Amino acid sequence: MKIELSRDNSSMSLVDQIYFEILERIESRLLQKGALLPSVRKLAKDLNVSVVTVHKAYTRLAKEGYINIYKGKGAYINERYENMKPNREKGGDLSSFDWQQNIEDYIHRAQLVQHLQFSNPIQFATSVIYHKLLPTRFLAETMKLLVDNDPTILARYCETQGDSELREEMQKFLNRVYRLHVPFENMMITSGVQQGIDLVARSFIGPGDVVIMEQPCFTGAIDAMRGRGANILTAPVKQDGICLQTIEEICDRLKPKLIYTNPTFQNPTGTVMSEQNRKTLLEIAEKYGILIVEDDAVGDLYFDDEIPPKPIKYWDRNGHVIYLKGFSKPLSPGCRIATLVASGVVFERLVAAKATADICNPLLTQKAILSFLRSDKMFPHLEKLRIALEVRRDRLKNYFSTHLGDLITYRQPQGGLNVWIELPCKYNAEQLLYKAVEHNVSFLPGSACFVKDPQRNFIRLSFSSVSDKELDEGAERFANLIRSSLK
Amino acid sequence: MKIELSRDNSSMSLVDQIYFEILERIESRLLQKGALLPSVRKLAKDLNVSVVTVHKAYTRLAKEGYINIYKGKGAYINERYENMKPNREKGGDLSSFDWQQNIEDYIHRAQLVQHLQFSNPIQFATSVIYHKLLPTRFLAETMKLLVDNDPTILARYCETQGDSELREEMQKFLNRVYRLHVPFENMMITSGVQQGIDLVARSFIGPGDVVIMEQPCFTGAIDAMRGRGANILTAPVKQDGICLQTIEEICDRLKPKLIYTNPTFQNPTGTVMSEQNRKTLLEIAEKYGILIVEDDAVGDLYFDDEIPPKPIKYWDRNGHVIYLKGFSKPLSPGCRIATLVASGVVFERLVAAKATADICNPLLTQKAILSFLRSDKMFPHLEKLRIALEVRRDRLKNYFSTHLGDLITYRQPQGGLNVWIELPCKYNAEQLLYKAVEHNVSFLPGSACFVKDPQRNFIRLSFSSVSDKELDEGAERFANLIRSSLK
């Protein structure tokens, strides 16, 4: 258990940081029932803090029921998830090797959502798109042709940078949809946007490097940066995007290396950064010599015909922006295809990192996506998808306003797959989730989206992954749950 | 450029370490023609060494022609690879953003081989298997059926741990081929063995952590460990595997966290660790509380009916061994499927790391491999493959003994895909490679397989990826080259 304490620039006390780090591991199920925590004395020594500091953190965890402290024996993790069976089966031998508990590791948590997939609930937790809305039949037929025409497609490595035909087609797509001019030589294919973020983290972020992230933020990005030991500072997400004033204040004090942002239909809040703010953010990056990671997972899924501003990459002239465009969500989560766009030596390093991570993506999935992009189907498909998602959003909204009224607060999303719901602040979304699972419906507790100081009264609800029927049923169950819990 | 200097336990001087770190980046093309190195003063300050130390390293690089030093202007990378066009096209704007040169990165090098793929040579550099020897037709037909029966296979995420049916089938396979009993709950599917190694590195290795590796060693493993800032110590590979005495000496002085080994048909040397040494290595790991990463990429590809010893994992009772079994090489490099076997909290952490790395593998490729394993074809296929590779090895051997005689030294490999060739020590394999490429044949210079103190007179030659005709032609060209160069 490697805990990186931030001593200078944190809004959290050392006690709170230790408490929170351990809590995250419990919630990610990295620490499970019966696991022994390091002794107070040992952890204090390892972290170079006083015994009192660790003791306070442990006491708080014990008070809240996360651990049990037995005098003279140590502190053990309590069972928290009795009624939550994760989808994946467990090895029977967990925690049976005591010596393993002493191995210091660098895993803080892992996308909570991955650990909270249940067998058969109505799934509002995962932001993927319902399979019937995706061009799976086309992709399947294409794959059949591909393997028929050239079975050796399965017998070859692809070049690390990804198939050049696919990159050329993506170049055309980005040009057409955003008027973004990027040469395909500066594009690389990655296994989803998640891998793109991870490649950036492993290339440029090391222990103590300052990274600025949105608060709240996409969970997978938090995990990637924390895994590198980054000193993460946050800027709140406002209606027009990440708070630039906070960023400038940080830049005046410190030397951030990287800013991660999800400017269009931000995950989880759904907000859109204004065009002016995009330009200003780029100016800040230029002024201070900072990289921007621009995560564009769903920017082309806008509603009400309101086209969002162009990607920040559009104005980038000096290689500051590493732009990540996902094709998983609108086309095929199962193909795991996204592209990363960057330039200069930064790009070279990212290609080298991909070689170390997994050598290359499979060629077959790349060629299948290529066929779809080359066909005349991409733009009509996106058009159809926008309408389908818009209808779902409205349906949910009507349901909520009829049945929940003022019990919850949320802003109507203008695109994307999620709605970000605020409950009165005394309520705890994680505890609600336990009940929700009993009612066969699930969602993402908002606390998973916070780097630090998690607010526990938020919920991210994805309206994209279920069928229409499940949407209605799930909304009803959700509303019942909220009503009965908030009364 | 993040250089980690080892001050205590290195056999290399600080000057040599700096020299070698920069050289690796040049050879990996991370530093390219015209790139500006940090000033002597700045690097000295960053690394906390004297100006004289950096100056000496730069002078050596300049003397050997890798860099040019211009008084008052700085040190620039020279062109080294004029006649080596890498397979992937280059972005036109490389090095055009000066500010990027100041971003400290954590990429030391990336599998040299990835950067040395040329358009049309006879490819002795990549250890994959010639496509006509692989069951690509079966896999292709299976994929057609799979997408026909259920196109939603492309529209779903798989669970992070990988498809449970595939893991069950792999469990049976490991049991049948090695009598290895591992529950499928303790198996995870990864994107090749490379990702398995990388997941271990990101989970358990951080700056300064001591890792023991074989010397020479699989390049991809070196890159993964170096990317985490590990303090890598090496033990030489002997005829019966990694030198255990060296490992014990290291364990007496330091506290290693992990030993990486490739015990069967070691990449690159082809040696096999004896059964006794496997057991002893495990005992050492148990005694000192160390993890073993056992890379088994090609253990089932043995020749002359000589079955190699069981995997170290076979004797593991306390969760020390993280066992990686590849299915890429014998079945389909394009499917990118391998499995990782581990237990206890170590396994839990590795699953969390996979979620952060890329969420999951595609389901389609997993299901295709599943079909092949379930069919009755796997064992006859392996049998056929062994014979085909054995024939190639013998053909090469005959060619070499007829045409090269005593000019080169090598040990006849008993399995796997490579032969490890030693040239007289005054010859430099990298310089030979330049000439080889002119003669339209390529190989891996052995220096890429060294963690430190690279020996430059070794060559790894893979006899598996070419056709029979190319094998003959390539062997002839290679022999001509060696003869003309060594005279």
Side-chain angles (χ1 to χ4, degrees), chain B residues 239-301:
Chain B
Q239 187 154 0
D240 54 358
I242 188 169
C243 175
L244 299 179
Q245 199 190 335
T246 308
I247 292 180
E248 290 213 82
E249 281 165 16
I250 295 172
C251 292
D252 283 341
R253 283 191 298 128
L254 298 159
K255 204 174 159 16
K257 221 162 158 181
L258 189 145
I259 300 169
Y260 168 87
T261 183
N262 180 199
T264 312
F265 315 128
Q266 199 253 0
N267 184 348
T269 61
T271 49
V272 178
M273 192 187 294
S274 66
E275 183 170 315
Q276 186 50 53
N277 281 4
R278 288 171 197 234
K279 291 178 186 170
T280 310
L281 182 63
L282 183 58
E283 281 164 18
I284 295 173
E286 286 170 347
K287 179 173 164 196
Y288 294 96
I290 304 174
L291 288 170
I292 294 176
V293 177
E294 180 178 23
D295 176 344
D296 184 13
V298 292
D300 36 16
L301 298 179

Side-chain angles (χ1 to χ4, degrees), chain A residues 89 99-100 104-106 114 154 160 167 194 198 202-203 209 257 318-319 332 336 349 356 358, chain B residues 89 99-100 104-106 114 154 160 167 194 198 202-203 209 257 318-319 332 336 349 356 358:
Chain A
E89 68 292 354
W99 76 275
Q100 288 190 347
E104 193 177 57
D105 71 80
Y106 297 84
Q114 292 299 319
L154 302 175
T160 296
R167 287 182 284 117
Q194 179 68 38
D198 192 63
R202 65 190 296 147
S203 302
D209 285 343
K257 220 162 158 182
N318 294 301
S332 166
R336 316 286 309 108
R349 276 154 184 71
T356 306
D358 62 4
Chain B
E89 69 294 351
W99 76 274
Q100 288 189 346
E104 194 177 57
D105 70 79
Y106 298 84
Q114 291 300 320
L154 303 175
T160 296
R167 286 182 284 118
Q194 179 67 41
D198 192 62
R202 66 190 297 149
S203 301
D209 285 342
K257 221 162 158 181
N318 293 301
S332 167
R336 316 286 309 105
R349 276 154 183 71
T356 306
D358 63 4

Side-chain angles (χ1 to χ4, degrees), chain A residues 270-285:
Chain A
T271 48
V272 177
M273 192 187 293
S274 66
E275 181 169 319
Q276 186 50 55
N277 280 6
R278 288 171 195 235
K279 291 178 187 169
T280 310
L281 181 63
L282 183 59
E283 282 163 19
I284 294 172

Side-chain angles (χ1 to χ4, degrees), chain A residues 436-464:
Chain A
V437 170
E438 284 169 17
H439 291 79
N440 208 23
V441 58
S442 80
F443 53 77
L444 185 73
S447 55
C449 305
F450 287 78
V451 174
K452 48 183 95 169
D453 311 324
Q455 292 182 264
R456 308 233 169 237
N457 58 323
F458 283 88
I459 283 172
R460 191 195 76 178
L461 198 149
S462 301
F463 47 82
S464 55

Side-chain angles (χ1 to χ4, degrees), chain B residues 9 28 81 99 148 156 161-163 176 193 214 216 222 230 241-242 253 271 274 317 362 387 434 437 444:
Chain B
N9 326 299
S28 290
Y81 290 84
W99 76 274
D148 256 353
R156 298 197 301 270
Q161 203 178 339
D163 181 56
R176 184 165 161 199
V193 164
E214 293 159 339
I222 300 174
I242 188 169
R253 283 191 298 128
T271 49
S274 66
R317 294 292 164 263
I387 294 167
Y434 297 125
V437 170
L444 185 73

